[in-house]
Coordinates of all heavy atoms in Angstrom, one line a residue:
M129 N 27.4 19.0 44.8 CA 26.7 18.6 45.9 C 27.5 18.9 47.2 O 28.7 18.5 47.2 CB 26.4 17.1 45.9 CG 25.6 16.6 44.7 SD 25.3 14.8 44.9 CE 23.6 14.9 44.6
A130 N 26.9 19.5 48.1 CA 27.6 19.9 49.3 C 27.8 18.7 50.2 O 27.0 17.8 50.3 CB 26.8 20.9 50.1
G131 N 29.0 18.6 50.8 CA 29.3 17.6 51.7 C 29.7 16.3 51.1 O 29.9 15.3 51.9
G132 N 29.9 16.2 49.9 CA 30.4 14.9 49.4 C 30.8 15.0 47.9 O 30.5 16.0 47.2
N133 N 31.5 14.0 47.5 CA 32.0 14.0 46.1 C 30.9 13.3 45.3 O 30.4 12.2 45.7 CB 33.3 13.2 46.0 CG 34.4 14.1 46.7 OD1 34.4 15.3 46.7 ND2 35.4 13.3 47.2
A134 N 30.7 13.8 44.1 CA 29.7 13.2 43.2 C 30.4 12.6 42.0 O 31.4 13.2 41.5 CB 28.6 14.2 42.7
E135 N 30.0 11.4 41.6 CA 30.6 10.8 40.4 C 29.5 10.5 39.4 O 28.4 10.0 39.8 CB 31.2 9.5 40.9 CG 31.9 8.7 39.7 CD 32.5 7.4 40.2 OE1 32.4 7.1 41.4 OE2 33.0 6.7 39.4
H136 N 29.7 10.8 38.1 CA 28.7 10.6 37.1 C 29.4 9.8 36.0 O 30.4 10.1 35.5 CB 28.2 11.9 36.5 CG 27.8 12.8 37.6 ND1 26.5 12.7 38.2 CD2 28.3 13.9 38.1 CE1 26.4 13.7 39.1 NE2 27.4 14.4 39.0
L137 N 28.8 8.6 35.6 CA 29.4 7.8 34.6 C 28.3 7.5 33.6 O 27.0 7.3 33.9 CB 29.8 6.5 35.2 CG 31.0 6.5 36.3 CD1 31.1 5.2 36.9 CD2 32.2 7.1 35.7
R138 N 28.7 7.3 32.4 CA 27.7 6.9 31.3 C 28.3 5.7 30.5 O 29.5 5.8 30.2 CB 27.4 8.1 30.4 CG 26.4 7.7 29.4 CD 26.1 8.9 28.5 NE 27.4 9.2 27.8 CZ 27.5 9.9 26.7 NH1 26.5 10.4 26.2 NH2 28.7 10.1 26.2
G139 N 27.5 4.8 30.1 CA 28.0 3.7 29.3 C 26.9 3.1 28.5 O 25.7 3.3 28.7
Q140 N 27.4 2.3 27.5 CA 26.4 1.6 26.6 C 26.9 0.2 26.3 O 28.1 -0.1 26.2 CB 26.3 2.4 25.3 CG 25.3 2.0 24.3 CD 25.8 1.1 23.2 OE1 27.0 1.1 22.9 NE2 25.0 0.3 22.7
G141 N 25.9 -0.7 26.2 CA 26.2 -2.0 25.8 C 27.1 -2.8 26.7 O 27.2 -2.6 27.9
A142 N 28.0 -3.7 26.1 CA 28.9 -4.5 26.9 C 29.8 -3.7 27.9 O 30.1 -4.3 28.9 CB 29.7 -5.4 26.0
K143 N 30.2 -2.6 27.4 CA 31.2 -1.8 28.3 C 30.5 -1.4 29.6 O 31.2 -1.2 30.6 CB 31.6 -0.5 27.6 CG 32.6 -0.8 26.5 CD 33.1 0.5 25.8 CE 34.0 0.2 24.7 NZ 34.5 1.4 24.1
A144 N 29.1 -1.3 29.6 CA 28.4 -1.0 30.8 C 27.8 -2.3 31.4 O 27.0 -2.2 32.4 CB 27.3 0.0 30.5
G145 N 28.1 -3.5 30.9 CA 27.5 -4.7 31.4 C 26.1 -4.9 31.0 O 25.3 -5.6 31.7
L146 N 25.7 -4.3 29.8 CA 24.3 -4.3 29.4 C 24.2 -4.9 28.0 O 25.2 -4.9 27.3 CB 23.7 -2.9 29.4 CG 23.7 -2.2 30.8 CD1 23.4 -0.7 30.6 CD2 22.6 -2.8 31.6
P147 N 23.0 -5.2 27.5 CA 22.9 -5.6 26.1 C 23.2 -4.4 25.2 O 23.2 -3.3 25.6 CB 21.3 -5.9 26.0 CG 20.9 -6.3 27.4 CD 21.8 -5.4 28.3
S148 N 23.5 -4.7 23.9 CA 24.0 -3.8 23.0 C 23.1 -2.5 22.7 O 23.6 -1.4 22.4 CB 24.3 -4.4 21.6 OG 23.2 -4.9 21.1
N149 N 21.8 -2.7 23.0 CA 20.9 -1.6 22.7 C 20.5 -0.8 24.0 O 19.7 0.1 24.0 CB 19.5 -2.1 22.1 CG 18.8 -3.0 23.0 OD1 19.4 -3.7 23.8 ND2 17.5 -3.1 22.8
A150 N 21.2 -1.1 25.1 CA 20.9 -0.5 26.4 C 21.9 0.5 26.8 O 23.1 0.3 26.5 CB 20.7 -1.6 27.5
W151 N 21.5 1.6 27.5 CA 22.4 2.6 28.0 C 22.3 2.8 29.5 O 21.2 2.4 30.0 CB 22.0 3.9 27.3 CG 22.3 4.0 25.9 CD1 21.7 3.4 24.8 CD2 23.5 4.6 25.3 NE1 22.3 3.6 23.6 CE2 23.4 4.4 23.9 CE3 24.6 5.3 25.9 CZ2 24.4 4.9 23.0 CZ3 25.5 5.9 25.0 CH2 25.5 5.6 23.6
E152 N 23.3 3.4 30.1 CA 23.2 3.6 31.5 C 23.9 4.9 31.9 O 24.9 5.2 31.3 CB 23.9 2.5 32.3 CG 24.1 2.8 33.8 CD 24.9 1.7 34.6 OE1 26.1 1.7 34.4 OE2 24.3 1.0 35.3
C153 N 23.3 5.7 32.8 CA 23.9 6.8 33.5 C 23.9 6.5 34.9 O 22.9 6.1 35.4 CB 23.2 8.1 33.2 SG 23.5 8.8 31.6
R154 N 25.1 6.5 35.6 CA 25.2 6.2 37.0 C 25.7 7.4 37.7 O 26.6 8.1 37.4 CB 26.2 5.0 37.1 CG 26.3 4.5 38.5 CD 27.3 3.4 38.7 NE 27.0 2.3 37.7 CZ 27.5 1.1 37.8 NH1 28.4 0.9 38.7 NH2 27.2 0.3 36.9
F155 N 25.0 7.6 38.8 CA 25.3 8.8 39.7 C 25.6 8.2 41.1 O 24.8 7.5 41.7 CB 24.1 9.7 39.8 CG 23.6 10.2 38.5 CD1 22.6 9.5 37.8 CD2 24.1 11.3 37.9 CE1 22.1 9.9 36.6 CE2 23.7 11.7 36.6 CZ 22.7 10.9 36.0
S156 N 26.7 8.7 41.6 CA 27.2 8.2 43.0 C 27.5 9.4 43.9 O 28.2 10.3 43.3 CB 28.3 7.2 43.0 OG 28.0 6.1 42.2
S157 N 27.0 9.4 45.1 CA 27.4 10.5 45.9 C 27.2 10.0 47.4 O 26.2 9.4 47.7 CB 26.5 11.7 45.7 OG 26.8 12.7 46.6
A158 N 28.2 10.3 48.2 CA 28.1 9.9 49.6 C 27.7 8.5 49.9 O 26.9 8.2 50.8 CB 27.1 10.9 50.4
G159 N 28.2 7.6 49.0 CA 28.0 6.2 49.2 C 26.7 5.7 48.6 O 26.4 4.5 48.8
N160 N 25.8 6.5 48.0 CA 24.6 6.1 47.4 C 24.7 6.1 45.9 O 25.4 7.0 45.4 CB 23.4 7.1 47.8 CG 23.2 7.0 49.3 OD1 23.1 6.0 49.9 ND2 23.1 8.2 49.9
T161 N 24.1 5.1 45.3 CA 24.2 5.0 43.8 C 22.8 5.0 43.2 O 21.9 4.3 43.8 CB 25.0 3.7 43.4 OG1 26.3 3.8 43.9 CG2 25.1 3.6 41.9
S162 N 22.7 5.6 42.1 CA 21.4 5.7 41.4 C 21.8 5.4 39.9 O 22.8 6.0 39.4 CB 20.7 7.0 41.5 OG 19.5 7.0 40.8
R163 N 21.1 4.6 39.2 CA 21.3 4.3 37.8 C 20.0 4.7 37.0 O 18.9 4.4 37.5 CB 21.6 2.9 37.6 CG 22.8 2.3 38.3 CD 22.7 0.8 38.2 NE 23.9 0.2 38.7 CZ 24.1 -0.2 40.0 NH1 23.2 0.1 40.9 NH2 25.2 -0.7 40.4
I164 N 20.3 5.2 35.8 CA 19.2 5.4 34.8 C 19.5 4.4 33.7 O 20.6 4.5 33.1 CB 19.1 6.9 34.3 CG1 19.1 7.9 35.5 CG2 17.9 7.0 33.4 CD1 17.8 7.9 36.3
W165 N 18.5 3.6 33.3 CA 18.7 2.7 32.2 C 17.6 3.0 31.2 O 16.4 3.3 31.5 CB 18.5 1.2 32.7 CG 19.7 0.6 33.4 CD1 20.9 1.2 33.6 CD2 19.7 -0.7 33.9 NE1 21.7 0.3 34.2 CE2 21.0 -0.9 34.5 CE3 18.8 -1.7 34.0 CZ2 21.4 -2.1 35.1 CZ3 19.2 -2.9 34.7 CH2 20.5 -3.0 35.2
W166 N 18.0 2.8 29.9 CA 17.0 2.9 28.8 C 17.6 2.3 27.6 O 18.8 1.9 27.6 CB 16.7 4.3 28.5 CG 17.8 5.2 27.8 CD1 17.9 5.4 26.5 CD2 18.9 5.8 28.5 NE1 19.1 6.1 26.3 CE2 19.7 6.4 27.5 CE3 19.3 5.9 29.8 CZ2 20.9 7.1 27.7 CZ3 20.5 6.6 30.1 CH2 21.2 7.2 29.0
T167 N 16.8 2.0 26.6 CA 17.3 1.4 25.3 C 17.2 2.5 24.2 O 16.3 3.4 24.3 CB 16.6 0.1 24.9 OG1 15.2 0.5 24.6 CG2 16.6 -0.9 25.9
D168 N 18.1 2.3 23.2 CA 17.9 3.2 22.0 C 16.9 2.7 21.0 O 16.5 3.4 20.1 CB 19.3 3.6 21.4 CG 20.0 2.3 21.0 OD1 19.4 1.2 20.9 OD2 21.2 2.5 20.7
R169 N 16.5 1.5 21.2 CA 15.5 0.8 20.3 C 15.1 -0.5 21.0 O 15.8 -1.2 21.6 CB 16.0 0.6 18.9 CG 17.1 -0.5 18.9 CD 17.8 -0.6 17.6 NE 18.9 -1.5 17.6 CZ 20.0 -1.4 18.3 NH1 20.2 -0.4 19.0 NH2 20.9 -2.4 18.3
G170 N 13.8 -0.8 20.9 CA 13.3 -2.1 21.4 C 13.4 -2.2 22.9 O 13.4 -1.2 23.7
T171 N 13.4 -3.5 23.3 CA 13.6 -3.8 24.7 C 14.8 -4.6 25.0 O 15.3 -5.2 24.2 CB 12.3 -4.6 25.2 OG1 12.3 -5.8 24.5 CG2 11.0 -3.8 25.0
A172 N 15.2 -4.7 26.3 CA 16.3 -5.5 26.8 C 15.9 -6.1 28.1 O 15.2 -5.4 28.9 CB 17.5 -4.7 26.9
H173 N 16.2 -7.3 28.4 CA 16.0 -7.9 29.7 C 17.3 -8.0 30.4 O 18.2 -8.6 29.9 CB 15.3 -9.3 29.5 CG 14.0 -9.1 28.9 ND1 12.8 -8.9 29.7 CD2 13.6 -9.1 27.6 CE1 11.8 -8.8 28.8 NE2 12.2 -9.0 27.6
V174 N 17.4 -7.3 31.5 CA 18.6 -7.2 32.3 C 18.4 -7.6 33.7 O 17.4 -7.2 34.4 CB 19.1 -5.7 32.2 CG1 20.5 -5.6 32.8 CG2 19.1 -5.2 30.8
P175 N 19.3 -8.4 34.3 CA 19.2 -8.7 35.7 C 19.5 -7.5 36.6 O 20.3 -6.7 36.3 CB 20.3 -9.8 35.9 CG 21.2 -9.8 34.8 CD 20.5 -9.0 33.7
V176 N 18.7 -7.4 37.7 CA 18.8 -6.3 38.6 C 20.2 -6.5 39.3 O 20.4 -7.5 39.9 CB 17.7 -6.2 39.6 CG1 17.9 -5.3 40.7 CG2 16.3 -6.0 38.9
P177 N 21.0 -5.4 39.4 CA 22.3 -5.6 40.0 C 22.2 -5.7 41.6 O 21.2 -5.3 42.2 CB 23.1 -4.3 39.7 CG 22.3 -3.7 38.6 CD 20.9 -4.2 38.7
A178 N 23.2 -6.2 42.2 CA 23.3 -6.3 43.6 C 23.2 -4.9 44.2 O 23.6 -3.9 43.7 CB 24.6 -7.0 44.1
G179 N 22.4 -4.8 45.3 CA 22.3 -3.6 46.0 C 21.1 -2.7 45.6 O 20.6 -1.9 46.4
V180 N 20.5 -3.0 44.4 CA 19.3 -2.2 43.9 C 18.1 -2.8 44.7 O 17.9 -4.0 44.7 CB 19.2 -2.3 42.4 CG1 17.9 -1.7 42.0 CG2 20.4 -1.7 41.7
V181 N 17.3 -1.9 45.2 CA 16.1 -2.3 45.9 C 14.8 -1.8 45.3 O 13.7 -2.3 45.5 CB 16.1 -1.8 47.3 CG1 17.3 -2.5 48.1 CG2 16.2 -0.3 47.5
A182 N 14.9 -0.7 44.4 CA 13.6 -0.2 43.8 C 13.9 0.3 42.4 O 15.0 0.8 42.1 CB 13.0 0.9 44.7
V183 N 12.8 0.3 41.6 CA 12.9 0.8 40.2 C 11.8 1.9 40.1 O 10.6 1.6 40.5 CB 12.7 -0.3 39.1 CG1 12.6 0.3 37.7 CG2 13.8 -1.3 39.2
H184 N 12.2 3.1 39.6 CA 11.2 4.2 39.5 C 11.0 4.5 38.0 O 12.0 4.5 37.2 CB 11.7 5.4 40.2 CG 11.8 5.2 41.7 ND1 10.9 5.7 42.6 CD2 12.8 4.6 42.4 CE1 11.3 5.3 43.8 NE2 12.5 4.7 43.8
T185 N 9.8 4.8 37.6 CA 9.4 5.2 36.2 C 9.2 6.7 36.1 O 8.9 7.3 37.1 CB 8.3 4.4 35.7 OG1 7.2 4.6 36.6 CG2 8.6 2.9 35.7
L186 N 9.2 7.2 34.9 CA 9.0 8.6 34.7 C 7.5 9.0 35.1 O 7.3 10.2 35.5 CB 9.2 9.0 33.3 CG 10.6 8.9 32.7 CD1 10.6 9.3 31.3 CD2 11.4 9.9 33.5
D187 N 6.6 8.1 35.1 CA 5.2 8.5 35.5 C 5.0 8.4 37.0 O 3.9 8.5 37.5 CB 4.2 7.6 34.7 CG 4.3 6.2 35.1 OD1 5.1 5.8 36.0 OD2 3.6 5.4 34.5
G188 N 6.1 8.2 37.8 CA 6.0 8.2 39.2 C 5.8 6.8 39.8 O 5.7 6.7 41.0
G189 N 5.7 5.8 39.0 CA 5.6 4.5 39.5 C 6.9 4.0 40.2 O 8.0 4.5 40.0
R190 N 6.7 3.1 41.2 CA 7.8 2.5 41.9 C 7.5 1.0 42.1 O 6.4 0.7 42.5 CB 7.9 3.2 43.3 CG 9.0 2.7 44.1 CD 9.1 3.5 45.4 NE 10.1 3.1 46.3 CZ 10.0 2.4 47.4 NH1 8.7 2.1 47.8 NH2 11.0 2.0 48.1
R191 N 8.6 0.3 41.9 CA 8.4 -1.2 42.1 C 9.6 -1.7 42.9 O 10.8 -1.3 42.6 CB 8.4 -1.9 40.8 CG 8.3 -3.4 40.8 CD 8.0 -4.0 39.5 NE 9.0 -3.6 38.5 CZ 9.7 -4.6 37.8 NH1 9.5 -5.8 38.0 NH2 10.5 -4.2 36.9
L192 N 9.4 -2.5 43.9 CA 10.5 -3.1 44.7 C 11.0 -4.3 43.9 O 10.2 -5.0 43.3 CB 10.0 -3.5 46.1 CG 9.5 -2.4 47.0 CD1 9.0 -3.0 48.3 CD2 10.6 -1.4 47.2
V193 N 12.3 -4.4 43.9 CA 13.0 -5.5 43.2 C 14.1 -6.1 44.0 O 14.4 -5.6 45.1 CB 13.6 -5.0 41.9 CG1 12.6 -4.4 40.9 CG2 14.7 -3.9 42.2
H194 N 14.6 -7.2 43.6 CA 15.6 -8.0 44.2 C 16.7 -8.3 43.3 O 16.5 -8.4 42.1 CB 15.1 -9.4 44.8 CG 13.9 -9.2 45.8 ND1 14.1 -8.8 47.1 CD2 12.6 -9.4 45.6 CE1 12.9 -8.7 47.6 NE2 12.0 -9.1 46.8
P195 N 18.0 -8.3 43.7 CA 19.1 -8.6 42.9 C 18.8 -9.9 42.1 O 18.3 -10.9 42.7 CB 20.3 -8.8 43.8 CG 19.9 -7.9 45.0 CD 18.4 -8.1 45.1
G196 N 19.1 -9.9 40.8 CA 18.9 -11.0 39.9 C 17.5 -11.1 39.3 O 17.4 -11.8 38.3
D197 N 16.5 -10.3 39.8 CA 15.3 -10.2 39.1 C 15.5 -9.8 37.6 O 16.4 -8.9 37.4 CB 14.3 -9.2 39.7 CG 13.7 -9.7 41.0 OD1 13.9 -10.8 41.4 OD2 13.1 -8.8 41.7
S198 N 14.7 -10.2 36.7 CA 14.8 -9.8 35.3 C 14.0 -8.5 35.2 O 12.8 -8.4 35.5 CB 14.3 -10.9 34.4 OG 14.4 -10.4 33.0
L199 N 14.7 -7.4 34.7 CA 14.0 -6.2 34.5 C 13.9 -5.9 33.0 O 14.9 -5.9 32.3 CB 14.8 -5.1 35.2 CG 14.3 -3.7 35.0 CD1 12.9 -3.6 35.7 CD2 15.3 -2.7 35.7
E200 N 12.7 -5.6 32.6 CA 12.5 -5.2 31.1 C 12.8 -3.8 31.0 O 12.1 -2.9 31.6 CB 11.1 -5.6 30.7 CG 10.9 -5.3 29.2 CD 9.5 -5.6 28.7 OE1 8.5 -4.8 28.9 OE2 9.3 -6.8 28.3
V201 N 13.8 -3.4 30.2 CA 14.2 -2.0 29.9 C 13.7 -1.7 28.5 O 13.9 -2.4 27.5 CB 15.7 -1.9 30.1 CG1 16.1 -0.4 29.9 CG2 16.1 -2.4 31.5
T202 N 13.1 -0.5 28.4 CA 12.6 0.0 27.1 C 13.1 1.4 26.8 O 14.0 1.8 27.5 CB 11.0 0.1 27.1 OG1 10.6 1.1 28.0 CG2 10.4 -1.3 27.5
E203 N 12.6 2.0 25.8 CA 13.0 3.3 25.5 C 12.6 4.4 26.5 O 13.0 5.5 26.4 CB 12.5 3.7 24.1 CG 13.1 2.8 23.0 CD 12.4 3.0 21.6 OE1 12.0 4.1 21.3 OE2 12.3 2.0 20.9
G204 N 11.7 4.0 27.4 CA 11.3 4.9 28.5 C 12.3 4.7 29.7 O 12.3 3.6 30.3
P205 N 13.0 5.7 30.1 CA 14.0 5.5 31.1 C 13.4 5.1 32.4 O 12.3 5.5 32.8 CB 14.6 6.9 31.2 CG 14.3 7.5 30.0 CD 13.1 7.0 29.5
V206 N 14.2 4.2 33.2 CA 13.9 3.9 34.5 C 15.1 4.1 35.4 O 16.2 4.1 35.0 CB 13.5 2.3 34.6 CG1 12.2 2.1 33.9 CG2 14.6 1.4 34.2
Q207 N 14.8 4.5 36.7 CA 15.8 4.8 37.7 C 15.9 3.6 38.6 O 14.9 3.2 39.2 CB 15.5 6.0 38.4 CG 16.6 6.3 39.4 CD 16.2 7.6 40.3 OE1 15.0 7.8 40.5 NE2 17.2 8.3 40.6
L208 N 17.1 3.0 38.8 CA 17.4 2.0 39.8 C 18.0 2.6 41.0 O 19.0 3.3 40.8 CB 18.2 0.9 39.2 CG 17.6 0.1 38.1 CD1 17.6 0.8 36.8 CD2 18.4 -1.2 37.9
R209 N 17.5 2.3 42.1 CA 18.0 2.9 43.3 C 18.6 1.9 44.3 O 17.9 0.9 44.5 CB 17.0 3.8 44.1 CG 16.6 5.0 43.4 CD 15.9 6.0 44.3 NE 15.6 7.2 43.6 CZ 14.8 8.1 44.1 NH1 14.2 7.9 45.3 NH2 14.5 9.2 43.4
D210 N 19.7 2.2 44.8 CA 20.3 1.3 45.9 C 19.6 1.6 47.2 O 18.9 2.6 47.3 CB 21.8 1.5 45.9 CG 22.6 1.0 44.7 OD1 22.0 0.5 43.8 OD2 23.8 1.1 44.7
R211 N 20.0 0.8 48.1 CA 19.5 0.9 49.5 C 19.2 2.3 49.9 O 19.6 3.3 50.1 CB 20.4 0.3 50.5 CG 20.7 -1.1 50.2 CD 21.6 -1.8 51.2 NE 22.1 -3.0 50.7 CZ 23.2 -3.2 50.1 NH1 24.1 -2.2 49.9 NH2 23.5 -4.4 49.7

């Protein structure tokens, strides 16, 4: 990415602060963070992290959220976007 450093992290379960069946890829660049969450099986209920304002789905859906809201995560990835 031009003009900034990009950071990409991936984690699973407790190491990522998620339930054992949940995964995360985190992308940060120029002070903005985006997360992709999904499960490898079933569902997980995870509190929305501080700073996240919207959740986007693969079908183009978008939902506004607040930190602490419970988010149902499934095998269909969702993108969490910060401010």
Side-chain angles (χ1 to χ4, degrees):
M129 299 183 134
N133 294 325
E135 178 182 1
H136 308 282
L137 302 170
R138 184 182 60 162
Q140 188 261 334
K143 289 183 180 180
L146 298 168
S148 62
N149 64 330
W151 290 79
E152 172 184 74
C153 283
R154 186 180 304 193
F155 307 91
S156 298
S157 179
N160 297 312
T161 300
S162 179
R163 299 167 173 88
I164 307 292
W165 281 357
W166 72 96
T167 65
D168 57 13
R169 67 191 176 291
T171 61
H173 295 273
V174 185
V176 172
V180 172
V181 297
V183 175
H184 296 259
T185 58
L186 289 177
D187 64 4
R190 178 177 181 254
R191 179 169 59 121
L192 298 178
V193 293
H194 301 283
D197 285 354
S198 181
L199 180 63
E200 183 178 85
V201 180
T202 67
E203 295 171 34
V206 293
Q207 180 185 32
L208 291 78
R209 288 198 179 168
D210 288 2
R211 304 181 191 95

